[in-house]
Amino acid sequence: MDHAADALRTDLMTITRYVLNEQSKHPESRGDFTILLSHIVLGCKFVCSSVNKAGLAKLIGLAGETNVQGEEQKKLDVLSNDVFVKALVSSGRTCILVSEEDEEATFVEPALRGRYCVVFDPLDGSSNIDCGVSIGTIFGVYMVKDFTEPTLDQALQPGKNMVAAGYCMYGSSCTLVLSTGSGVNGFTLDPSLGEFILTHPDIKIPKKGKIYSVNEGNAKNWDGPTAKYVENCKFPKEGSSPKSLRYIGSMVADVHRTLLYGGIFLYPADKKSPSGKLRVLYEVFPMSFLMEQAGGQAFTGKERALDLLPKKIHERSPIFLGSYDDVEEIKALYAAEAKN
């Protein structure tokens, strides 16, 4: 790689330029989605800045409240939620917002309503903030048919109806991964420009990977197919090499690695959490959307993840997502158990 030439590159594909290029392919579009996305990007930049100086700004630690999931809220959780709610409402392009941090959906006041519903986890993996592990924002975007009188049902759509999904990871670099339904692209924040630059064009997940990612601390509560799959990862029968275990405990970081390197990310249901742990609308759906767009799969143990129809905004589900062949293996184990 010629770093000197790279440093002098002047033809930069910023995220705004990329989205405007995509917009020009749809003559009927009015730029609403471009405006909405620019507000999401602004929210990501703001949170990235806050995460980077969290220790200095006394943003580390607990805010003294618990959120709707019964989890203790970090100060950064509360701040990030406020940032995204304000950014999305002020865009004038949203009518319903569903956040992990808010018990009820937010209905935007009529004067500022637009035709999009945005579901988001403002700061996923925030229990890792204090020890400096990568965390992130996850979001999904739906189009709403009647935005003049929006109802909660319009937020409770299956994931396959999403028009866009993505996440922004705050780690050694700030990376925004986005799909608008025609492939997956990764953008990295250049702090000197304050712009997200296209660094990972057209991400494709390898068909089969060498890594599995799961919280083995829950192993005693797993069902048969999950336990069998993990055993096969460790002790493969046909003489192939065992898979490596990599588990960060921050969904954005684990999924990002899986997307780039291949393999499988598992968060199964177990005896302790029979409905699974991850939330359908703003964790399972956006990540499943990205995986499928990159050529992978996402499975709940019963069906394709994007076919789920949530009944509540904070509903949970098991999830297995990653490389196509790896997810096929877990599907085969569940199918075999169903037969028996």
Side-chain angles (χ1 to χ4, degrees):
M1 188 176 178
D2 186 347
H3 290 287
D6 218 40
L8 296 171
R9 233 169 10 122
T10 52
D11 185 25
L12 299 175
M13 177 62 80
T14 66
I15 193 165
T16 310
R17 180 179 159 193
Y18 172 81
V19 174
L20 286 169
N21 284 359
E22 288 298 302
Q23 183 188 315
S24 66
K25 296 175 189 172
H26 305 277
E28 75 287 355
S29 65
R30 305 181 316 201
D32 284 354
F33 179 73
T34 306
I35 292 167
L36 171 64
L37 195 70
S38 71
H39 281 74
I40 292 174
V41 166
L42 177 64
C44 292
K45 287 178 186 173
F46 190 111
V47 173
C48 177
S49 168
S50 301
V51 167
N52 287 343
K53 62 188 180 199
L56 294 170
K58 296 190 168 55
L59 289 170
I60 283 176
L62 300 173
E65 297 169 32
T66 55
N67 67 8
V68 60
Q69 320 300 338
E71 300 161 341
E72 288 188 310
Q73 283 180 310
K74 301 274 184 176
K75 291 172 190 169
L76 262 177
D77 276 325
V78 178
L79 175 74
S80 305
N81 192 48
D82 286 350
V83 166
F84 277 102
V85 169
K86 289 185 171 116
L88 292 166
V89 170
S90 67
S91 74
R93 300 300 183 273
T94 59
C95 54
I96 311 169
L97 307 178
V98 176
S99 166
E100 188 214 18
E101 299 299 327
D102 295 328
E103 191 165 351
E104 305 290 336
T106 299
F107 289 89
V108 179
E109 60 181 276
L112 288 170
R113 270 181 202 158
R115 52 184 174 160
Y116 292 104
C117 162
V118 182
V119 295
F120 60 100
D121 183 345
L123 205 59
D124 181 74
S126 55
S127 60
N128 287 314
I129 294 167
D130 298 7
C131 59
V133 170
S134 296
I135 49 182
T137 297
I138 310 173
F139 60 90
V141 182
Y142 289 104
M143 182 92 77
V144 168
K145 287 194 180 83
D146 178 17
F147 62 86
T148 51
E149 293 295 330
T151 60
L152 197 56
D153 287 351
Q154 291 168 323
L156 298 172
Q157 300 184 48
K160 62 187 175 188
N161 290 3
M162 280 185 169
V163 293
Y167 60 80
C168 188
M169 185 176 73
Y170 315 111
S172 54
S173 59
C174 178
T175 307
L176 196 152
V177 175
L178 174 72
S179 174
T180 54
S182 52
V184 181
N185 291 280
F187 303 82
T188 303
L189 183 64
D190 181 336
S192 61
L193 296 174
E195 288 280 4
F196 280 99
I197 310 296
L198 180 64
T199 49
H200 297 73
D202 196 21
I203 297 170
K204 293 281 181 237
I205 186 169
K207 199 150 187 285
K208 191 171 178 62
K210 297 175 181 170
I211 295 171
Y212 73 103
S213 184
V214 66
N215 182 354
E216 293 231 25
N218 295 329
K220 70 170 189 168
N221 295 316
W222 287 342
D223 61 16
T226 303
K228 183 102 173 63
Y229 180 80
V230 172
E231 190 185 339
N232 292 347
C233 289
K234 295 177 181 178
F235 308 103
K237 293 191 171 49
E238 69 283 6
S240 58
S241 301
K243 288 188 189 295
S244 299
L245 169 66
R246 297 283 184 272
Y247 185 69
I248 298 164
S250 173
M251 189 191 190
V252 170
D254 279 314
V255 170
H256 186 66
R257 184 201 55 249
T258 305
L259 195 60
L260 296 184
Y261 299 164
I264 188 166
F265 170 82
L266 311 87
Y267 213 120
D270 57 34
K271 289 173 194 152
K272 237 172 39 183
S273 310
S275 301
K277 191 89 186 286
L278 297 177
R279 272 66 59 137
V280 173
L281 269 183
Y282 40 80
E283 289 176 328
V284 170
F285 279 168
M287 294 310 201
S288 301
F289 187 88
L290 290 166
M291 276 300 164
E292 285 200 6
Q293 285 292 321
Q297 291 195 79
F299 177 63
T300 67
K302 291 179 181 165
E303 61 186 317
R304 175 192 176 209
L306 293 179
D307 287 339
L308 270 175
L309 182 62
K311 296 185 174 55
K312 302 195 295 277
I313 60 172
H314 298 297
E315 194 171 306
R316 298 171 189 257
S317 168
I319 187 67
F320 306 88
L321 52 78
S323 294
Y324 194 94
D325 289 356
D326 292 323
V327 178
E328 277 297 301
E329 282 178 43
I330 195 101
K331 282 165 85 172
L333 290 168
Y334 272 99
E337 188 190 56
K339 263 189 203 163
N340 298 334

